[in-house]
């Protein structure tokens, strides 16, 4: 009965003497596994036949068997008669056969199991490699509790959190918590995923340092290990948002070009009439033309007395102001018309000299004298010597410089410009003008103190018709026109920097070519 059982079992079973290790008996499972017949094993040991890949394993095996009396699940690598290596799981016990101490050994071939385990490890390794290699952050949430079960290493780069700090939090825990940051509740989101399938959202998240940023999230339901999970792929779209804002701004600038051309044509005719009639009135009041003399004699009017009256009342000065204002308006109209033209009249100029001429013009401009004297502002010049000449439209660049200087001067003399705690040198209004060259560009910086621009306003400051001045004091076109001149006409860059309270710096970069 026991012999039949011994021979029928498919696993390899063998009996060896303890003293010599020679084979006494084997079953057909042994023959099938190792390829040896009973005759081939006569007076042989497993060591004689090279059945152990690592002889040291045999020494450990025998020592452990001698110490414990039996062994369970001893792992080793065996070698068949044909030289094929395979993974084996060995169990053994000391027994007596006909009064002789022997070893009963059962061997199981676990090569397929080992391969499956290795494949699983490789699969897990590959999964982890892919999981952690991308720039996007991948969250795995429990669909029932919405708790984060796993997240890849990219979470540190994007959010500033380590994996351990995020795992265990709930869905939406990294949101900015602003009303528009999470458009649906987690429960409603799961229902939406179940009914409609995967969803794509844009919302605002918060980094560990408190910085807010926009992300795109792709969310879907998945079954992992027979459990419903939420997979979320998060992509930082801050740069995309900035690019979209820049494109919108460029569209506004292009629209402004067409608007400027249309407005200029509409303004030109009445402006010409104003200037011509002001000149005619001045001529008829001041010159001794035959018709003037004839009309005065007919009415009995003394021309000299009339002119004295006009001088006393400064009427002629007012007429001169009308003509001067008209001339300035005509220059502005000419600039607006030039925005719509593809080709501009260019010549070589020293930017530092153009900047100085604009300062002189600002010092004599009537509009700046209404509330303060521009010449009271301290001017600090930091000009690079031997600055290369720049091909440009000098009138347009002076218009840009003038707009910045005028706005800065008004801001520094505004009632809100008060820095009582600042050092004495900073309590006086001042401009710092810088010019320098780098990387085939010339850079102009115009910096003023005693005022600031918030980060929110810096995003809007170049928008057409945007102004912080009271109604009637600003059109909101000065800086937007300046932006257009720099970006579109001269293919340069213009930006603003500020600490929000005590200084503002406009930076202009223009290419030499």
């Amino acid at each position: 009965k026991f012999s039949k059982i011994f021979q029928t079992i498919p696993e390899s079973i063998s009996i060896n003497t303890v003293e010599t290790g020679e084979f006494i008996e084997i079953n057909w499972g042994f023959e099938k596994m190792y390829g040896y017949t009973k005759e081939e094993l006569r007076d042989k040991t497993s060591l004689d036949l090279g059945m152990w890949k690592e002889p040291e394993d045999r020494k450990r095996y025998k020592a452990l068997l001698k110490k414990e009396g039996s062994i369970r699940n001893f792992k080793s690598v065996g070698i068949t008669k044909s030289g094929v290596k395979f993974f084996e799981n060995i169990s053994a016990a000391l027994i007596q056969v006909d009064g002789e101490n022997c070893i009963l050994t059962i061997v199981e071939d676990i090569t397929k199991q080992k391969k499956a385990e290795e494949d699983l490890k490789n699969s897990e390794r590959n999964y982890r490699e892919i999981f952690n290699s991308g720039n996007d952050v991948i969250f795995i949430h429990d669909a029932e509790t919405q708790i984060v079960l796993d997240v890849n290493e990219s979470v540190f780069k994007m959010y500033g959190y380590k994996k351990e700090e995020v795992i265990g939090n709930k869905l939406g825990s990294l949101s900015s918590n602003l009303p528009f940051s999470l458009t649906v509740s987690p429960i409603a989101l799961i229902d939406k995923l179940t009914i409609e399938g995967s969803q794509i959202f844009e919302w605002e998240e918060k980094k560990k340092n408190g910085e807010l940023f926009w992300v795109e999230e792709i969310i879907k339901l998945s079954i992992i290990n027979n459990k419903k999970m939420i997979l979320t792929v998060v992509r930082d779209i801050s740069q995309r948002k900035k690019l979209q804002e820049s494109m919108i701004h460029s569209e506004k600038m292009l629209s402004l070009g067409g608007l400027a051309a249309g407005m200029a044509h509409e303004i030109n005719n009445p402006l010409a009439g104003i200037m011509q009639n002001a000149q005619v009135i001045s001529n008829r009041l001041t010159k001794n033309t035959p018709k003037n003399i004839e009309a005065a004699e007919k009415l009995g009017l003394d021309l000299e007395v009339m002119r004295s009256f006009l001088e006393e009342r400064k009427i002629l000065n007012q007429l001169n102001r009308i003509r001067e204002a008209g001339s300035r308006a005509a220059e502005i109209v000419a600039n607006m018309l030039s925005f719509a033209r593809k080709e501009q009249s260019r010549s070589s100029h020293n930017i530092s000299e153009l900047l100085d001429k604009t300062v002189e013009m600002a010092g004599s401009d009537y509009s700046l004298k209404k509330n303060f004297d521009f010449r009271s502002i301290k001017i600090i010049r930091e000009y690079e010597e031997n600055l290369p000449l720049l091909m440009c439209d000098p009138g347009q660049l002076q218009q840009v410089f003038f707009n910045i200087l005028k706005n800065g001067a008004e801001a520094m003399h505004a009632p809100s410009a008060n820095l009582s705690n600042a050092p004495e040198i900073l309590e006086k209004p001042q401009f710092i003008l810088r010019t320098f060259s780098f990387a085939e560009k010339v850079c102009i910086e115009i910096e003023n103190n005693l005022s600031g621009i918030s980060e929110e306003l810096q995003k809007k400051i170049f928008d057409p018709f945007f102004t912080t001045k009271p109604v009637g004091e600003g059109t909101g076109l000065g800086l937007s026109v300046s932006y257009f001149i720099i970006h579109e006409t001269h293919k340069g860059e213009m930006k603003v920097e500020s600490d929000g309270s005590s200084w503002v710096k406009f930076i202009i970069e223009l290419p030499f070519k």
Side-chain angles (χ1 to χ4, degrees), residues 30-290:
F30 184 98
E31 293 185 19
K32 183 179 178 182
M33 186 176 294
Y34 289 95
Y36 293 101
T37 63
K38 187 174 181 181
E39 289 71 23
E40 292 174 316
L41 295 175
R42 193 179 303 279
D43 300 328
K44 298 286 194 306
T45 68
S46 59
L47 196 60
D48 295 335
L49 297 170
M51 296 172 64
W52 296 80
K53 180 178 180 294
E54 300 293 340
E56 287 297 319
D57 284 353
R58 181 176 182 273
K59 291 181 180 179
R60 289 191 301 107
Y61 160 77
K62 292 196 70 174
L64 189 61
L65 184 61
K66 184 178 180 181
K67 178 181 178 182
E68 302 292 338
S70 64
I71 295 176
R72 294 289 183 274
N73 302 319
F74 184 89
K75 302 296 188 296
S76 182
V77 177
I79 303 176
T80 67
K81 179 181 177 180
S82 60
V84 176
K85 300 179 180 64
F86 67 98
F87 291 97
E88 53 186 7
N89 184 40
I90 303 172
S91 297
L94 293 175
I95 62 172
Q96 283 194 341
V97 178
D98 296 332
E100 185 177 6
N101 293 327
C102 296
I103 304 172
L104 174 66
T105 305
I106 301 175
V107 179
E108 180 185 5
D109 186 345
I110 58 171
T111 303
K112 290 182 179 180
Q113 180 183 332
K114 274 285 187 181
K115 187 178 183 305
E117 290 175 359
E118 191 63 30
D119 289 345
L120 187 61
K121 287 180 182 178
N122 289 335
S123 177
E124 173 69 15
R125 194 180 304 114
N126 292 338
Y127 158 74
R128 280 289 158 189
E129 186 70 26
I130 296 170
F131 189 63
N132 290 314
S133 63
N135 291 324
D136 296 342
V137 178
I138 303 174
F139 293 92
I140 299 178
H141 299 84
D142 185 300
E144 185 177 343
T145 63
Q146 295 95 50
I147 289 176
V148 179
L149 302 179
D150 200 1
V151 64
N152 63 352
E153 301 291 348
S154 299
V155 72
F156 179 76
K157 184 179 179 181
M158 188 178 295
Y159 290 88
Y161 289 101
K162 295 180 180 178
K163 285 181 60 173
E164 297 75 19
E165 296 176 291
V166 175
I167 292 174
N169 288 307
K170 284 202 169 186
L171 179 68
S173 61
L174 301 182
S175 165
S176 64
N177 291 322
L178 296 176
F180 53 82
S181 62
L182 191 60
T183 54
V184 293
S185 68
I187 295 176
L189 177 59
I190 294 171
D191 292 339
K192 197 175 179 70
L193 289 171
T194 304
I195 297 170
E196 300 178 10
S198 60
Q199 303 288 318
I200 300 178
F201 298 91
E202 285 186 6
W203 57 48
E204 204 171 34
E205 298 275 68
K206 183 187 288 186
K207 297 185 179 183
K208 187 176 182 179
N209 61 9
E211 179 186 344
L212 301 180
F213 67 108
W214 280 93
V215 299
E216 177 184 80
E217 301 201 6
I218 303 173
I219 305 178
K220 64 173 292 185
L221 281 177
S222 183
I223 304 298
I224 301 176
N225 293 332
N226 298 320
K227 196 169 184 180
K228 190 182 288 187
M229 301 288 185
I230 302 174
L231 300 183
T232 306
V233 179
V234 181
R235 178 168 296 169
D236 187 339
I237 59 170
S238 301
Q239 292 300 319
R240 187 205 298 176
K241 284 282 187 183
K242 289 179 181 178
L243 181 60
Q244 289 173 347
E245 290 177 4
S246 176
M247 290 174 66
I248 292 170
H249 195 79
S250 295
E251 287 296 325
K252 290 179 182 178
M253 292 299 103
L254 290 173
S255 299
L256 181 62
L259 177 64
M263 289 176 62
H265 283 296
E266 293 295 327
I267 292 171
N268 254 339
N269 290 333
L271 184 61
I274 292 170
M275 295 177 66
Q276 289 171 4
N277 283 293
Q279 184 63 51
V280 170
I281 293 170
S282 179
N283 290 341
R284 292 185 179 183
L285 292 175
T286 59
K287 292 184 178 181
N288 292 324
T289 63

Side-chain angles (χ1 to χ4, degrees), residues 305-371:
V305 174
M306 184 191 70
R307 287 165 186 158
S308 298
F309 172 79
L310 296 175
E311 290 290 340
E312 181 67 25
R313 295 296 295 149
K314 297 183 179 179
I315 293 174
L316 297 179
N317 286 341
Q318 296 298 327
L319 287 172
N320 287 333
R321 289 286 180 86
I322 291 174
R323 292 203 309 274
E324 289 173 4
S327 296
R328 277 192 295 272
E331 290 177 5
I332 294 171
V333 168
N335 277 339
M336 292 174 74
L337 278 170
S338 70
F339 296 157
R341 297 182 190 135
K342 297 295 182 184
E343 298 296 331
Q344 303 294 332
S345 175
R346 304 294 177 95
S347 52
S348 298
H349 290 273
N350 184 301
I351 289 297
S352 301
E353 292 178 2
L354 281 181
L355 200 50
D356 281 340
K357 289 178 181 178
T358 309
V359 171
E360 292 177 13
M361 182 173 68
S364 61
D365 187 77
Y366 82 99
S367 65
L368 296 179
K369 289 183 177 179
K370 289 195 293 187
N371 298 318

Side-chain angles (χ1 to χ4, degrees), residues 347-411:
S347 52
S348 298
H349 290 273
N350 184 301
I351 289 297
S352 301
E353 292 178 2
L354 281 181
L355 200 50
D356 281 340
K357 289 178 181 178
T358 309
V359 171
E360 292 177 13
M361 182 173 68
S364 61
D365 187 77
Y366 82 99
S367 65
L368 296 179
K369 289 183 177 179
K370 289 195 293 187
N371 298 318
F372 58 88
D373 187 355
F374 186 87
R375 289 169 296 186
S376 66
I377 299 174
K378 184 179 181 181
I379 306 295
I380 300 173
R381 293 173 173 82
E382 298 177 0
Y383 296 162
E384 179 181 308
E385 294 184 2
N386 302 317
L387 195 67
L389 298 180
L390 181 74
M391 287 293 293
C392 64
D393 184 318
Q396 289 191 351
L397 288 189
Q398 282 188 280
Q399 184 70 33
V400 173
F401 301 155
F402 182 82
N403 285 335
I404 296 173
L405 290 169
K406 180 179 178 180
N407 287 340
E410 291 176 349

Side-chain angles (χ1 to χ4, degrees), residues 418-434:
N418 179 21
L419 297 177
S420 56
N421 296 325
E424 184 179 353
I425 189 171
L426 291 179
E427 291 180 353
K428 297 177 181 179
Q430 68 178 28
F431 279 110
I432 302 175
L433 311 179
R434 302 183 184 92

